[in-house]
Structures are given as C-alpha cells and as structure tokens.
Amino acid sequence: MSYKMPQWDDAASAIHNAQTILVVSHISPDGDAIGSLLGMTTTLKALGKTVVGAIDDEIPNYLAFVPQSDTIVQTVNDEFDLMISVDASDEERTGNVGDYGRAHSKTVINLDHHPTNTGFGDIHLVVPTAVSACEIVFDLINHMGLDMSEDTAYVLLVGMVTDTLGFRVDSTTARTLAVAQALMEKNAPLPQVIGRTLNSKDYENVKLWKAVYPSVQLDDQVIYGTITLKDVESAGLDKVYDGGLVSHLITVNQARVSVVFKEQLNNQVEISFRSKKGYDVGSLAFSLGGGGHTQASGCTVNGTLDEVKARVLPMAHQVVTEG
Ligand code: 5GP
Ligand code: MN
C-alpha cells in the first residue's frame, strides 16, 4: 500500500505525449469501473488519440444501457504508448487485458480510489478520499482543461451514483454533490441514472433473495448470509453481480459488519464486506488477498463455504471488537 501523491501534471504530460492508449479496469466490472473507463476513452478519443477500452469480463446486462459500453472489448492485441488502469487496486484485478497491457505499453497510469491500492504503475493518481474513480477522471479532465461531452458526463455520473449508492454512503461530501451537479449541468440525467441502476432489478434477483434470506443470521453485531451455487441456479441466474444484499444487510441497526459468502466453482468463495462508520473491513479484505474501501470491500478465497466461514467470521468479529 505505498502509492505516491496524485501526479496530475505527470499524468497530463503522459497523455499528451501518447498517441495509442489502452484503458483497462477491474474484472467483474461495476458501474464505477465501466463509468471511469468510458469517461477516459470518450475524452481521449475526442482529443484525437487512438484508444482501446478493455475488460476481460462481459458488461453485465444491468449496465448495458450505459452509453458507449458496447465499445469495450474483451481481448487486446496491439502495442500502446500508454496504459491507464482505472478503479483497480492491484494488478491482478485488471485481468488478462491488464497483463497484456503492462507488457505492451511504455507507461502505466494507475488511477484509483481504493486505500488498499498497491502502488503499481509508473504514474499514480490514487485518491482514497474520492468516492468513486469517476470523480478522479472528472478532476483529471478539469486539470487538463479538456472539454467534457454529454456522454462523458453521463458515464461519470453512473460511477458516482453506483459507488455512493445514490449519495448515501458515509464518504459522501459536499464536494461529491458539487461534482454530480457539474455533471448534471452537462446534461447527465440523475433520476434516469438512479432509475436504471439502484432502482432496477430483474425478478430473478428477488427469487435469489428468497432463496438466500433463510441463511441470514445476526451473531453479535456481525450479520451474514450465504449464496450457494444452487441458490443462483434455482433463481435462473448464471452469474451474480448483486452487491445489493450485503449493502442491504448493513442497514440492520444491530449490525456493525455485514458479510455475504458467495460459493464459486473450483472450491472458491467470493466474499463481500460492508461496515458501519468506524469499522474497517478494507484492511480485513486486504489481509485475505482482496481489497476495497474502509466500509466496502471484498476478496475471493480458497475453500468450501463451511471452511471459509469458519475462518473469516472470527476475523469479522475482530473488526467489531477493534472498531
Ligand atoms: P463488492 O462487495 O461490491 O463486490 O466490492 C466492494 C468493494 O471491494 C469494491 O470497491 C471492490 O472494488 C472491492 N473488491 C471486491 N472484491 C475484491 C477483490 O477480490 N480484490 C480487490 N482488490 N478488491 C475487491
Ligand atoms: Mn470504484
């Protein structure tokens, strides 16, 4: 976790000096990953650069409405002057396209807002106080004095809305709202963005919650639930993108930490953590090989559901004790 103070001028020079630019973000992309990636690609294309935006995984259906999301590719095979990694706290999170980009780019910019960022890359724009990577892209565009198109404003607002859960998380400040206001002044439609992200779900997700709710338990200020592969299949889903359950569980008054265990293939379990203000689940996820924010984090660990729960729940209780 050693990253430099934001290097705005170095980032601006690297962008000006580059003609071919690869922009990557994290696997299992969320609204901020896609918003910050497209915020960069749309801006760089308007500057006349040759730009590729790439993420290993498909864009989840619920984010297909995002303008220009169909321009994101899943494989890359060119040479680049510059790679920009957005919203990814470590190199592994950028997947195969990130590996490829590091080997085929002269310079790497690491633009991120996770306090667990490992400090990879040549030029750092790591701002842990930013509520979303999109906010840092917004600041970079302004720092460089570039125009912001309507599409750019729209995609950046998607990341701001989704990472702040509609400006409800503790990290939201007056500055967050000022950035959102500036994006709205560029015609980004806040109610529509909220309507298509936070206020939108398929019935399959309700079926999944019906299956999962019986597993939910509150145990000494830690609330947790388990999503099995069978639950996912019986709900008619092939993949779960829903971080909604863990965020929902942390709203329980008696809970300080919420945990959702998601069974994966290959004897792995994906874990999502959320916490109330003053309790640090970011360091917990980092110690398990993942990362995230103080109050929202995640990781994937090896083992069966029972093994992983037996190992991780005492660690979640430790966060409550130390908080
Ligand atoms: P979620 O629970 O919504 O999947 O993730 C919450 C936060 O934790 C996000 O900021 C996400 O980037 C981070 N996160 C989730 N899983 C991982 C992981 O496996 N590795 C890292 N480095 N961060 C993760
Ligand atoms: Mn983010």
Side-chain angles (χ1 to χ4, degrees), residues 15 20 27 50 97 118 155 192 210 218 237 318:
I15 289 169
T20 51
I27 51 174
T50 305
V97 294
T118 55
V155 299
Q192 283 92 324
K210 275 170 76 173
L218 174 72
L237 293 163
Q318 188 66 28

Coordinates of all heavy atoms in Angstrom, one line a residue, residues 15 20 27 50 97 118 155 192 210 218 237 318:
I15 N -0.3 11.7 -21.1 CA -1.5 11.6 -22.1 C -1.2 12.4 -23.3 O -1.4 11.9 -24.4 CB -2.8 12.0 -21.4 CG1 -3.2 10.9 -20.3 CG2 -3.9 12.3 -22.4 CD1 -4.3 11.4 -19.4
T20 N -1.3 6.2 -28.9 CA -2.1 5.0 -28.7 C -2.3 4.7 -27.2 O -1.3 4.6 -26.5 CB -1.4 3.8 -29.4 OG1 -0.1 3.7 -29.0 CG2 -1.5 3.9 -30.9
I27 N -11.8 -6.7 -13.3 CA -12.7 -7.8 -13.6 C -14.0 -7.7 -12.8 O -14.0 -7.0 -11.8 CB -12.0 -9.2 -13.4 CG1 -11.4 -9.2 -12.0 CG2 -10.9 -9.4 -14.5 CD1 -10.8 -10.6 -11.7
T50 N -5.8 7.4 -30.5 CA -6.2 6.0 -30.8 C -6.4 5.3 -29.5 O -5.4 5.0 -28.8 CB -5.2 5.3 -31.7 OG1 -5.0 6.2 -32.9 CG2 -5.8 4.0 -32.2
V97 N -6.3 -8.6 -19.8 CA -6.1 -7.4 -20.6 C -5.1 -6.5 -19.9 O -4.2 -5.8 -20.5 CB -7.4 -6.6 -21.0 CG1 -8.2 -7.5 -21.9 CG2 -8.1 -6.2 -19.7
T118 N -2.1 -0.9 -4.3 CA -0.8 -1.5 -4.0 C 0.4 -0.6 -4.6 O 1.5 -0.9 -4.5 CB -0.6 -2.9 -4.6 OG1 -1.0 -2.8 -6.0 CG2 -1.5 -3.9 -3.9
V155 N -21.6 8.9 -18.3 CA -20.9 7.7 -17.8 C -20.2 8.0 -16.4 O -20.2 7.1 -15.6 CB -19.9 7.1 -18.8 CG1 -20.6 6.7 -20.1 CG2 -18.7 8.1 -19.1
Q192 N -32.7 9.4 -14.1 CA -32.6 8.2 -15.0 C -31.5 7.3 -14.6 O -31.6 6.1 -14.7 CB -32.5 8.7 -16.5 CG -33.8 9.2 -17.1 CD -33.9 10.7 -16.9 OE1 -33.4 11.2 -15.9 NE2 -34.4 11.4 -17.9
K210 N -35.1 -14.6 -2.0 CA -36.0 -15.5 -1.4 C -35.2 -16.8 -0.9 O -35.4 -17.3 0.2 CB -37.1 -15.9 -2.3 CG -38.3 -14.9 -2.3 CD -39.3 -15.2 -3.4 CE -40.2 -16.4 -3.1 NZ -41.2 -16.5 -4.2
L218 N -27.8 -12.9 12.4 CA -27.1 -11.9 13.1 C -26.5 -12.5 14.3 O -27.1 -13.2 15.1 CB -28.1 -10.8 13.6 CG -27.5 -9.7 14.5 CD1 -26.6 -8.8 13.7 CD2 -28.6 -8.9 15.2
L237 N -30.4 -17.6 -12.6 CA -29.3 -16.7 -12.9 C -28.1 -17.5 -13.3 O -27.9 -18.7 -12.8 CB -28.9 -15.8 -11.7 CG -30.0 -14.8 -11.3 CD1 -29.7 -14.3 -9.9 CD2 -30.0 -13.6 -12.2
Q318 N -13.5 -9.8 15.0 CA -12.4 -9.0 15.5 C -12.5 -7.5 15.0 O -12.1 -6.6 15.8 CB -11.1 -9.7 14.9 CG -9.8 -9.1 15.4 CD -9.6 -9.4 16.8 OE1 -10.1 -10.4 17.4 NE2 -8.9 -8.5 17.5

